Amino acid sequence: MSVRTLLEQPRIWYGGDYNPEQWPEEVWHEDMRLMQQAGVNLVSIGIFAWSHLEPQPGQVEFGWLDRLMDLLYAHGVHAALSTATASPPPWLAHRHPDSLPVTADGVTLWPGGRQAYCPHSPAYRQAASALVMRLAERYRAHPALALWHINNEYGCHVSECFCDVSAAAFRQWLSERYGTLDELNQAWGTAFWSQRYGLWEEINPPRRAPTFANPTQQLDWRRFSSDSLIALGDMETAILRRITPHVPVTTNFMGFFKPADYRKWAHREDIVSLDTYPDPADPFAAAQNAAQCDLTRSLGDGKPWMLMEQTSSAVNWRSRNVLKQPGQMRLWSMQALARGANTILFFQWRAAKAGAEKFHGALVPHVGTQESRVWREVSALGNELQELGPLAQSRVQVDTALLVDWQSWWALELDSKPSTAVTFYDRLASFYGPLYATNMTSDFVFTDSDFANYKIVFVPNLYLVDDATAARLEAYVAGGGTVVMGFFSGIVDENEQIRLGGYPAPFRRMLGIRIEEFAPMAEGEHNALRFADGGSSVCDLWADVIDLEGASALATFTGNFYAGRAAITEHAFGRGRAIYIGTRLAPEAMAALLVRICAAAGVRPPANVPAGVEIVRRQTEDGRILWFVLNHRPELVTVTLPLAGTDVLTGAAVAGAVALEAYGVSIAQAG
Ligand code: GLA
């Protein structure tokens, strides 16, 4: 039975990356026993096993994997079988040194770590395709095979390659995009700095240059590099779909990963999956983790998604690897479930004895399972999740959405801008943070999404926008929606060329404003705002010098030559409202503003709870609402919920007040 069918079952998948090739086979038997104890029903196998599966070119050794697949199946564990292409064996580089990736500075990245391949290398592509074909043919009918896990974290270490083979591929990509050199010269604005191209061969990747490289060349390079990773995924997917059309395909995404346009990618998969490693030392870790979960759900248009990797305790790749506190692993796993996951997996099953990840957390730690806190927690969670199967089919409830777009992200963060301190993630977090803190759960939307599903669409930053997207946002507001737009949006077109006629040209009608000039602030510089209703706030980073053209000012600046001019505006447009925020507010003021805007659109926090308590609601197919209440605080809190019902985890009655221990979770169901 395939996971496509299994996924429709009321079941939560639990397990992790399993690397038995690192252990003698007698250990595998202990693994099976322990997996059963811990409620494990799915493991990702073979991710870094290429050199074990094909020790020399064409010489395959699948016997051990045959035995492993049989063993898993006999113990009720399914396999997310990897295509093992993420780390080529040493023989590939030895035979084909030109398969190695090269940086913008011309430095070759050698084997000895992992992922040492150029995405355009014919030798790599050929060897990888051959391996995928063999794996698919061998295991196509194996009953343990539940899912294909292709490659691993595409682009994690090497997301672009500047070698000559890549340069030729870039030229090819450009000729497909532009058709003629005239078109390219036009789009790239090569009249500037004597950059006009007369031959395709004159064009190179944006290798290290004396100063700023052409911005459109850089943007196209990002598009091309993202497309190249997607093409690698397509290459494997096409083989798998041909040989095993009944087995779904995923590859593990990394959330807000800049190099790859995951929206473009997600539709090519059967299910979207996420690797997430929030830093327990970061006070915003819970919000960041929530955002990664929301993004993953939204990439798949709300369908259930897989948490493919997290750690049970600590990672090994930060300079200081702080442990998850007791209870925090369960809490963050439940957070993923609350936000739409149907799968909770870890990197990795058994802590490694050798190699660069031997200090990484695992389900089975070095000390073994006796008297192990980590084992106690992971096995308790695995067993607890077995009872929560029906949750897997419910959908997360949201009223609002935040627009993100990879192309705009890339363009915003190119060099030679008014302020390089204006970055995508900071802009996003300034909106997401207050919404998260007030428990107004949001989806992410993309330029191709249907905005009409939401009462409010927040646009933290949309520096680059094409005509079609601008028109769709305007139509959404005209039709009754609310848009809340952050500064430095609507500035350039898809070629990174200024949209003339007063900023933000494509949104002026909708917003009822004209921005005469930008006034980015120096580091440490502040200004202040006076709100129309009497409040005030500091602001920093950026100020727009705004002319009102139909909008009214919700707040004005108090300092600098633009004192008294609008900083935040509101405009009734058609049947909707468009709000513009032309500076960075202090977080509390931003939160208050967003809460007010939400209330005006009929969106209210689900309950009044202390800071650090997260509430997310999921709705079952038969209309019942499940309230996930997550205490991110290290102490007991009591919250009052507007419902009476039952705690799904404990069976206890819930009538208003719920006490949550430190890092505790309650899932309350009304009725
Ligand atoms: C990533 C990789 C894993 C492992 C973990 C460690 O998620 O996919 O193979 O290296 O990081 O945190």
Side-chain angles (χ1 to χ4, degrees), residues 17 19 47-48 114 149 151-154 156-157 252-254 274-277 308-311 314-317 346-348 357 360-361:
D17 280 21
N19 303 304
I47 295 178
F48 294 104
R114 64 177 174 184
H149 174 304
N151 200 283
N152 190 65
E153 293 190 340
Y154 277 107
C156 167
H157 307 298
N252 42 349
F253 284 169
M254 292 167 277
L274 170 71
D275 295 353
T276 177
Y277 292 96
M308 190 61 86
E309 286 184 28
Q310 61 171 340
T311 183
V315 298
N316 69 301
W317 39 263
F346 295 80
F347 176 85
Q348 60 177 334
E357 296 190 314
H360 196 289

Side-chain angles (χ1 to χ4, degrees), residues 89-132:
W91 55 253
L92 187 79
H94 180 66
R95 292 191 165 213
H96 304 280
D98 58 0
S99 68
L100 291 171
V102 175
T103 67
D105 291 297
V107 174
T108 297
L109 303 176
W110 292 91
R114 64 177 174 184
Q115 223 186 69
Y117 63 86
C118 158
H120 312 104
S121 155
Y124 168 77
R125 294 174 64 99
Q126 218 167 18
S129 299
L131 179 65
V132 176

Side-chain angles (χ1 to χ4, degrees), residues 23 45 59 156 222 224 262 272 282 314 328 381 433 443 467 483 538 573 578 595 645:
W23 298 94
I45 54 172
Q59 180 196 315
C156 167
R222 286 220 162 263
F224 159 75
Y262 282 161
V272 185
D282 181 341
Q328 222 168 20
L381 178 62
D443 280 344
D467 292 344
V483 157
V538 292
F573 181 74
V595 166

Side-chain angles (χ1 to χ4, degrees), residues 231-556:
L232 283 180
D234 285 350
M235 175 184 85
E236 297 197 12
T237 305
I239 298 169
L240 298 171
R241 292 240 163 92
R242 182 163 51 76
I243 304 173
T244 56
H246 59 291
V247 183
V249 172
T250 193
T251 188
N252 42 349
F253 284 169
M254 292 167 277
F256 288 101
F257 178 65
K258 185 175 169 187
D261 182 342
Y262 282 161
R263 178 59 175 181
K264 192 168 181 181
W265 199 325
H267 291 287
R268 301 161 128 90
E269 306 184 285
D270 296 297
I271 185 162
V272 185
S273 53
L274 170 71
D275 295 353
T276 177
Y277 292 96
D279 184 354
D282 181 341
F284 296 105
Q288 289 180 7
N289 203 43
Q292 306 269 41
C293 295
D294 290 344
L295 176 69
T296 310
R297 177 185 71 252
S298 306
L299 286 168
D301 293 321
K303 290 196 289 287
W305 56 274
M306 305 181 79
L307 174 55
M308 190 61 86
E309 286 184 28
Q310 61 171 340
T311 183
S312 61
S313 52
V315 298
N316 69 301
W317 39 263
R318 295 194 172 100
S319 50
R320 295 169 187 229
N321 298 292
V322 172
L323 283 184
K324 287 178 179 168
Q325 290 295 298
Q328 222 168 20
M329 178 278 300
R330 172 174 177 265
L331 173 69
W332 288 353
S333 300
M334 291 290 188
Q335 185 184 39
L337 275 193
R339 292 178 183 271
N342 69 356
T343 304
I344 303 293
L345 305 187
F346 295 80
F347 176 85
Q348 60 177 334
W349 166 252
R350 182 179 280 276
K353 183 166 175 286
E357 296 190 314
K358 56 185 173 296
F359 291 113
H360 196 289
L363 281 84
V364 181
H366 291 145
V367 291
T369 55
Q370 292 297 317
E371 302 298 320
S372 155
R373 173 189 71 84
V374 167
W375 175 254
R376 261 197 315 275
E377 289 192 30
V378 293
S379 50
L381 178 62
N383 286 293
E384 187 177 26
L385 293 181
Q386 289 189 5
E387 307 299 317
L388 298 183
L391 279 184
Q393 290 154 320
S394 58
R395 293 294 177 110
V396 178
Q397 279 200 315
V398 299
D399 294 314
T400 58
L402 296 116
L403 179 65
V404 294
D405 178 46
W406 262 264
Q407 310 234 3
S408 181
W409 180 1
W410 295 331
L412 176 71
E413 294 183 359
L414 295 173
D415 43 27
S416 64
K417 287 293 191 307
S419 171
T420 53
V422 177
T423 55
F424 163 79
Y425 201 73
D426 174 71
R427 296 295 71 236
L428 181 67
S430 75
F431 282 70
Y432 186 89
L435 292 171
Y436 170 79
T438 47
N439 288 312
M440 291 191 282
T441 311
S442 298
D443 280 344
F444 288 99
V445 284
F446 313 93
T447 55
D448 64 341
S449 304
D450 187 354
F451 307 139
N453 295 331
Y454 304 95
K455 291 184 178 152
I456 306 179
V457 174
F458 298 98
V459 185
N461 177 272
L462 193 62
Y463 164 72
L464 176 151
V465 68
D466 59 23
D467 292 344
T469 305
R472 292 184 61 238
L473 278 169
E474 198 184 77
Y476 164 71
V477 175
T482 298
V483 157
V484 185
M485 184 171 279
F487 59 82
F488 208 40
S489 294
I491 305 302
V492 297
D493 65 14
E494 59 272 37
N495 292 325
E496 241 276 310
Q497 299 200 8
I498 298 292
R499 291 177 165 282
L500 298 174
Y503 316 118
F507 298 125
R508 275 180 57 192
R509 216 161 49 143
M510 175 182 92
L511 295 168
I513 60 168
R514 183 189 79 134
I515 294 164
E516 187 187 328
E517 52 185 326
F518 312 127
M521 296 189 209
E523 205 173 340
E525 184 184 344
H526 289 91
N527 201 330
L529 299 179
R530 184 169 304 121
F531 283 84
D533 64 6
S536 63
S537 164
V538 292
C539 62
D540 69 351
L541 187 67
W542 187 272
D544 281 318
V545 181
I546 298 177
D547 293 327
L548 297 175
E549 291 182 334
S552 52
L554 291 180
T556 51

Side-chain angles (χ1 to χ4, degrees), residues 102-104 118-120 158-174 177-178 188 203-208 213-229 258-260 407 410 414:
V102 175
T103 67
C118 158
H120 312 104
V158 178
S159 60
E160 54 186 359
C161 174
F162 294 80
C163 74
D164 289 342
V165 175
S166 301
F170 184 41
R171 285 179 208 117
Q172 179 61 34
W173 184 94
L174 290 169
R177 181 174 174 88
Y178 295 109
W188 285 20
I203 303 172
N204 279 305
R207 291 173 172 147
R208 186 73 63 222
N214 180 304
T216 319
Q217 177 194 12
Q218 294 191 60
L219 178 59
D220 274 343
W221 176 255
R222 286 220 162 263
R223 290 180 173 129
F224 159 75
S225 299
S226 169
D227 280 358
S228 298
L229 296 177
K258 185 175 169 187
Q407 310 234 3
W410 295 331
L414 295 173

